[in-house]
Amino acid sequence: MIAKVIVDIPSKSVDFTFDYIIPQRLQFMIAVGMRVIVPFGPRTVQGYVMQISEEPDSSIELSKLKEIKEIQDIKPELTTELIDLSAWFSKYFVTKRISILEIMLPSALKAKYTKVFTIQDTEQVPSHLLAKFDSQGQYAYKEAQKNNDLESLSQLLSIGVVAEQTILSQNTKKKKQRAVKVVPEVDHEAVLNDLASTKKLQKQHDLYAYLLEEQHHTVLLTELESMAFSKSSIDGLVNKGWIEKYDTVISRDPFEARVFEKEDNQQLTADQQQAYNSILETIKAEKQQTYLLHGVTGSGKTEIYLQTIEEVLNKGQQAMMLVPEIALTPQMVLRFKRRFGDDVAVLHSGLSKGERYDEWQKIRDGQASVSVGARSSVFAPFKNLGMIIIDEEHESSYKQEDYPRYHAKDIAEWRSQYHQCPLVLGSATPSLESYARAEKGVYQLLSLPNRVNNQALPEIDIVDMRKELSEGNRSMFSENLRSAIQQRLDNKEQIVLFLNRRGYASFMLCRDCGHVPQCPNCDISLTYHKSSDLLKCHYCGHQEQPTNQCPNCESEHIRQVGTGTQRVEELLQQVFSEAQIIRMDVDTTSRKGAHEKLLNDFGAGKGDILLGTQMIAKGLDFPNITLVGVLNADTMLNLPDFRSSERTYQLLTQVSGRAGRHEKEGQVIIQTYNPEHYAIKDVQANDFTAFYYKEMNYRKLGKYPPYFFLINFTIAHQNMKKVMEASKHIHQILLQHISDKAFVLGPSPAALSRINNEYRFQILVKYKNEPALHEALQYLDDYYHEQYIKDKLSLKIDINPQMMM
Ligand code: ADP
Ligand code: ZN
Ligand code: ZN
């Protein structure tokens, strides 16, 4: 028997299958998708079995083939579907297959681990084998291999008498955390009465009452703190000996041991019912159909996901739901857990390697039928998918920008074809590409034009900041916004202020000569970081001390400009001295769990104003928010990217949706220097289709998606001349492979023309249907792979680019 194996060497020159003989002793257990150890030249390397056949290809002499040395898995880690997918992916995105196989598998498989057999049914294990299991009922795979027990164990595995388990070395270290409980011997009634008699001790009373109620559950210290119980209340009770702190071991599944209140389905509205029926039909017919579910926030899209998933599960199939990382909040997960309980596997970057692997394994072994996860969960190893959902389908985070570059939507579409099941794309602001496909009938459009509770969308005011300036207001808060904030503060209502990430970088500027300190390695200004008092480059990591004297003209009038979130917070505090401000940006949320905590604090009313960047645009749903202010709507509009209007429209719509989601009416104030821009006016009118048609016109004129497909080539090297030569060469090759209906633009310096001392040039191809183009891509990728090895000259091929910088 022969196995076709891809070896784990990340090089183009060996990125195809090699044939190996499967020795007799391994034949009984080898399967496609397993990892094996094989000799490769002088080395021994890991490889993946892609295919198994009786005979080698006719061109190969059997005597020349080497043998597989060892099998590393008890069960295959990769499904045959994922192996097929990797072949397609490799062609479509011009990517090394080994790199794809690697991102498909959880990273835990690269860490230290042991595979063991565990006993499921003691009575059926023959006694000579039983003796070899340890006191925990485990028998290590390596041991079994040594003792020649693998064959008997595999048989037991296939009938379920034993199971396999992967134990990561980090598993053993369970995390300890501090918890709090009432001291059982104390007379609780007396304590409560005592605390109730003093008004000043009200907080301690509430805390004690809470702990008493929860005395049979574990209450973590961190939990208490996030619930607005202060440290001083907790310590006060500890000092009196009424409550105590202790260590507790937390299980890896954050939701384990929690009983979920089963949540019932909502009675669907007429619009929801229509969408639901459509999707259900496709589920039943078991065919591929892509739906675009266009519904404003709060229109009940998630309810439709939940109810259609239920139908899929009832059919004995599985469902996969993708959400942007930032939307994968505990509230979201809870909603799924309440409907589907332990059937749900959650995959996101907050999990440890071990936790991630546990969730992944549940899917692989059929113990979980629903996955909720970010981009990379699109590779979840389900075997019988009945539906795939991508929520917030317009989000750019579905594109992986690092190698191997891919878009989760393309992968999802491939998988829905493979499984012949519906793919549902949901959004309040669909991407132009998706909406255009829906218009052409390639996708089926499902619309939910109203919020479920018929709550009106908030009123949106647009403030012209140019006028504000000409009227003498130089501050960053317009008069309109200032008075609206004051009014909310007076009413004890909450405010969200949004600062566009792209606009908040602050830098140093010489007031006399205009000099701005630049990165010595990159073609970009250095950003000033107040907390560390350093100038930093965001691209190469260079950092330096700011000087008090301009290096150009020696003037001392060099100082910080721009509006960092920190700076805005200071200004805000000056104007509204009584306001409690919670700031959310990369600095305040870098610690794990900080994002969550700040939001909880705000939800619990611990702040009046939430000031933040992009990260507050989503998932924020608090009844007391009645005002949303956008400080700088324009910064994104001015980016050199054909999607800048679309991104602006999406973001502003998203942010506006944070106001007035409940009983209290909401107001939105958008400050801008471009009040006539259609992206801003259409947000105000909440008119997606108006925006869509205008934007489509520009796309048509500019020959951009969705009218044309794009491929972006970036060529980089330290030597400018080499970059230009290579660019010319690539340009020529491309011209030879395309028709006169396609366009090759450039070569031209990239928007960021130098990063880390490398010059960067770009070439952009615009095309509709070019069958020969693929051959050129493959050729160029191979050719420049060699150039990279020889000379570090790099070529990045970005298929359907999402970022033009
Ligand atoms: P979206 O995903 O479009 O933002 P959701 O599905 O989260 O909308 O629905 C918004 C709110 O309305 C949720 O609290 C949800 O429980 C509720 N909801 C959804 N559908 C219904 C319905 N048919 N009847 C009553 N409430 C509903
Ligand atoms: Zn100067
Ligand atoms: Zn730099």
Side-chain angles (χ1 to χ4, degrees):
M1 275 166 92
I2 301 295
K4 292 195 178 296
V5 174
I6 292 216
V7 292
D8 194 356
I9 300 173
S11 166
K12 262 223 104 142
S13 51
V14 295
D15 195 44
F16 33 81
T17 57
F18 291 90
D19 286 10
Y20 284 92
I21 294 171
I22 307 169
Q24 192 69 41
R25 67 188 164 87
L26 298 178
Q27 288 188 1
F28 67 90
M29 66 176 304
I30 197 156
V32 168
M34 281 183 173
R35 294 167 310 147
V36 291
I37 299 291
V38 293
F40 194 76
R43 293 193 275 170
T44 305
V45 297
Q46 181 178 280
Y48 299 84
V49 178
M50 298 285 101
Q51 213 181 313
I52 292 173
S53 54
E54 287 303 321
E55 304 284 328
D57 291 344
S58 53
S59 60
I60 298 167
E61 245 179 272
L62 200 57
S63 61
K64 293 240 171 86
L65 292 183
K66 292 183 184 159
E67 280 191 358
I68 289 178
K69 286 197 156 161
E70 223 180 89
I71 299 177
Q72 283 185 295
D73 295 319
I74 300 171
K75 280 186 193 169
E77 297 286 356
L78 289 163
T79 62
T80 45
E81 179 207 354
L82 291 177
I83 290 171
D84 285 359
L85 171 61
S86 72
W88 168 82
F89 182 146
S90 162
K91 279 216 183 83
Y92 185 80
F93 288 108
V94 198
T95 299
K96 287 193 288 290
R97 204 150 164 209
I98 187 68
S99 311
I100 302 162
L101 296 175
E102 259 167 15
I103 54 159
M104 285 178 165
L105 294 177
S107 55
L109 287 174
K110 286 202 198 116
K112 262 206 152 80
Y113 62 86
T114 19
K115 296 222 170 196
V116 298
F117 292 96
T118 58
I119 298 181
Q120 300 297 299
D121 183 354
T122 318
E123 312 216 320
Q124 304 225 33
V125 183
S127 54
H128 74 279
L129 273 180
L130 198 56
K132 293 178 180 161
F133 284 79
D134 65 14
S135 59
Q136 289 173 316
Q138 297 178 348
Y139 186 4
Y141 176 79
K142 284 244 163 79
E143 282 298 305
Q145 194 165 29
K146 257 192 242 152
N147 300 339
N148 279 327
D149 284 334
L150 280 186
E151 188 152 9
S152 352
L153 284 166
S154 311
Q155 270 160 16
L156 296 179
L157 184 71
S158 67
I159 53 171
V161 173
V162 300
E164 72 133 327
Q165 204 187 337
T166 301
I167 299 178
L168 299 176
S169 41
Q170 69 185 54
N171 269 16
T172 47
K173 280 187 236 125
K174 291 228 167 186
K175 233 165 101 187
K176 274 195 186 154
Q177 285 203 30
R178 295 294 274 172
V180 188
K181 63 176 181 195
V182 293
V183 175
E185 296 77 29
V186 171
D187 179 348
H188 308 312
E189 284 302 312
V191 170
L192 281 177
N193 286 335
D194 192 13
L195 288 169
S197 63
T198 317
K199 190 135 193 10
K200 257 174 61 192
L201 297 177
Q202 181 65 38
K203 289 235 167 90
Q204 293 192 9
H205 173 269
D206 295 349
L207 171 59
Y208 193 83
Y210 176 78
L211 289 175
L212 197 58
E213 207 172 288
E214 295 288 316
Q215 61 178 323
H216 302 297
H217 300 120
T218 309
V219 179
L220 296 180
L221 198 58
T222 48
E223 231 174 285
L224 282 182
E225 283 168 1
S226 72
M227 281 168 54
F229 287 120
S230 71
K231 208 165 152 356
S232 66
S233 306
I234 298 168
D235 289 341
L237 289 176
V238 171
N239 290 339
K240 289 178 190 138
W242 291 340
I243 67 171
E244 60 191 11
K245 297 182 185 172
Y246 64 102
D247 281 334
T248 181
V249 174
I250 304 300
S251 78
R252 286 225 313 246
D253 176 356
F255 292 100
E256 194 177 293
R258 237 164 104 178
V259 182
F260 297 102
E261 231 168 275
K262 173 92 179 130
E263 190 182 86
D264 290 329
N265 291 346
Q266 304 271 13
Q267 178 70 39
L268 296 179
T269 64
D271 286 337
Q272 279 176 318
Q273 189 68 48
Q274 215 175 357
Y276 170 88
N277 289 347
S278 270
I279 299 169
L280 190 61
E281 220 173 277
T282 308
I283 292 172
K284 287 196 171 139
E286 304 202 354
K287 57 178 190 186
Q288 203 286 334
Q289 169 68 54
T290 304
Y291 292 96
L292 178 60
L293 180 59
H294 178 207
V296 295
T297 39
S299 59
K301 295 187 292 296
T302 310
E303 187 62 33
I304 296 178
Y305 303 150
L306 293 168
Q307 295 200 21
T308 44
I309 289 174
E310 194 174 330
E311 294 297 334
V312 168
L313 301 190
N314 287 343
K315 276 186 72 208
Q317 290 183 298
Q318 300 117 27
M320 188 157 89
M321 157 119 164
L322 303 189
V323 295
E325 180 73 51
I326 197 147
L328 197 52
T329 58
Q331 290 92 317
M332 176 72 151
V333 173
L334 214 57
R335 247 176 119 178
F336 271 74
K337 291 264 181 186
R338 286 216 171 108
R339 293 288 167 102
F340 308 116
D342 289 339
D343 246 359
V344 182
V346 181
L347 297 159
H348 63 86
S349 63
L351 300 177
S352 71
K353 270 187 194 167
E355 289 168 331
R356 227 186 129 79
Y357 186 69
D358 286 353
E359 297 294 293
W360 190 85
Q361 196 165 239
K362 273 201 260 171
I363 297 171
R364 189 199 63 181
D365 295 345
Q367 288 153 11
S369 310
V370 182
S371 70
V372 183
R375 177 180 65 223
S376 65
S377 73
V378 74
F379 299 111
F382 286 115
K383 298 195 179 80
N384 186 9
L385 276 174
M387 175 161 68
I388 305 174
I389 298 162
I390 302 185
D391 193 30
E392 316 266 9
E393 67 91 30
H394 61 278
E395 273 289 313
S396 54
S397 65
Y398 286 123
K399 169 79 183 283
Q400 170 150 316
E401 295 290 349
D402 299 328
Y403 194 87
R405 280 175 284 280
Y406 67 91
H407 201 297
K409 211 188 290 177
D410 295 313
I411 306 290
E413 219 161 288
W414 188 93
R415 295 194 74 180
S416 76
Q417 283 289 354
Y418 184 95
H419 290 279
Q420 289 294 299
C421 72
L423 167 63
V424 180
L425 310 174
S427 177
T429 51
S431 63
L432 255 74
E433 284 94 331
S434 294
Y435 203 79
R437 279 182 200 144
E439 273 220 312
K440 279 176 84 177
V442 180
Y443 297 168
Q444 191 177 326
L445 184 65
L446 306 170
S447 293
L448 302 175
N450 303 307
R451 285 183 167 179
V452 172
N453 52 8
N454 276 320
Q455 189 78 50
L457 289 162
E459 180 200 323
I460 300 179
D461 295 331
I462 294 187
V463 177
D464 183 350
M465 291 304 275
R466 293 169 311 188
K467 220 165 119 205
E468 206 70 23
L469 203 61
S470 72
E471 283 164 7
N473 179 4
R474 303 186 145 269
S475 95
M476 67 177 310
F477 311 109
S478 60
E479 184 44 38
N480 190 340
L481 182 59
R482 201 200 55 74
S483 68
I485 293 176
Q486 190 60 55
Q487 193 198 340
R488 298 318 188 288
L489 290 175
D490 295 343
N491 290 348
K492 300 255 170 291
E493 290 168 358
Q494 287 180 302
I495 302 145
V496 170
L497 288 183
F498 177 77
L499 192 61
N500 212 330
R501 182 173 52 199
R502 297 286 188 169
Y504 85 82
S506 69
F507 48 92
M508 306 290 275
L509 171 79
C510 171
R511 305 264 162 173
D512 287 331
C513 75
H515 172 80
V516 173
Q518 302 280 313
C519 174
N521 311 319
C522 310
D523 181 29
I524 197 160
S525 318
L526 292 168
T527 305
Y528 179 67
H529 286 247
K530 191 170 178 186
S531 45
S532 51
D533 189 33
L534 282 172
L535 288 166
K536 292 186 187 171
C537 170
H538 288 179
Y539 286 89
C540 73
H542 169 87
Q543 55 184 50
E544 63 186 49
Q545 298 273 325
T547 53
N548 299 324
Q549 220 181 26
C550 171
N552 190 38
C553 73
E554 299 185 354
S555 152
E556 278 169 13
H557 296 138
I558 180 160
R559 56 184 59 118
Q560 172 196 355
V561 290
T563 42
T565 26
Q566 244 174 3
R567 180 83 189 117
V568 176
E569 185 185 6
E570 286 168 17
L571 291 172
L572 202 55
Q573 197 73 76
Q574 279 167 22
V575 184
F576 306 101
S577 53
E578 79 275 31
Q580 286 274 359
I581 303 168
I582 295 180
R583 170 164 65 94
M584 248 171 88
D585 58 18
V586 275
D587 288 336
T588 63
T589 55
S590 55
R591 257 186 330 116
K592 194 176 163 180
H595 182 257
E596 204 53 48
K597 173 158 189 331
L598 290 178
L599 281 184
N600 283 342
D601 284 354
F602 190 65
K606 282 197 230 166
D608 306 305
I609 302 178
L610 180 66
L611 170 69
T613 52
Q614 258 73 347
M615 63 180 72
I616 62 170
K618 282 191 199 82
L620 210 62
D621 188 2
F622 300 122
N624 204 27
I625 302 174
T626 58
L627 174 66
V628 170
V630 179
L631 296 174
N632 55 345
D634 314 286
T635 38
M636 212 168 207
L637 270 184
N638 302 326
L639 290 179
D641 190 319
F642 71 90
R643 287 197 182 86
S644 63
S645 298
E646 181 180 358
R647 296 260 156 79
T648 302
Y649 181 87
Q650 288 164 347
L651 192 64
L652 292 179
T653 303
Q654 192 82 246
V655 177
S656 305
R658 301 304 114 204
R661 291 167 72 91
H662 299 262
E663 288 78 42
K664 292 182 183 166
E665 237 171 75
Q667 185 192 4
V668 178
I669 296 178
I670 297 177
Q671 303 191 150
T672 173
Y673 291 92
N674 295 286
E676 316 78 22
H677 196 289
Y678 63 99
I680 290 175
K681 293 207 100 135
D682 291 338
V683 168
Q684 184 180 29
N686 188 35
D687 194 342
F688 175 80
T689 39
F691 170 76
Y692 168 79
Y693 288 115
K694 280 175 230 158
E695 182 65 14
M696 283 295 270
N697 266 330
Y698 286 102
R699 300 290 176 90
K700 192 172 187 178
L701 286 170
K703 297 191 169 61
Y704 280 117
Y707 291 96
F708 280 78
F709 293 109
L710 302 182
I711 301 176
N712 196 19
F713 298 79
T714 308
I715 305 104
H717 193 266
Q718 297 217 347
N719 182 329
M720 166 85 96
K721 201 166 143 245
K722 284 201 170 143
V723 176
M724 287 165 71
E725 276 167 16
S727 303
K728 259 189 222 143
H729 169 243
I730 294 167
H731 190 253
Q732 266 167 6
I733 301 277
L734 288 171
L735 284 183
Q736 285 163 13
H737 285 82
I738 58 167
S739 72
D740 57 4
K741 291 202 182 71
F743 305 86
V744 183
L745 276 71
S748 57
L752 268 161
S753 62
R754 192 172 55 118
I755 293 181
N756 214 359
N757 282 321
E758 288 196 334
Y759 294 94
R760 303 167 77 241
F761 267 57
Q762 274 183 352
I763 296 174
L764 189 64
V765 179
K766 301 178 172 182
Y767 70 100
K768 286 191 170 177
N769 183 17
E770 297 293 330
L773 187 55
H774 190 78
E775 192 190 323
L777 298 183
Q778 206 57 59
Y779 168 78
L780 288 170
D781 192 52
D782 287 348
Y783 184 86
Y784 281 96
H785 174 73
E786 290 300 310
Q787 294 305 307
Y788 187 77
I789 292 171
K790 271 193 228 148
D791 193 23
K792 292 268 174 240
L793 187 120
S794 74
L795 168 65
K796 173 177 131 184
I797 302 178
D798 194 356
I799 312 283
N800 307 330
Q802 292 293 311
M803 283 198 317
M804 302 303 285
M805 310 273 279

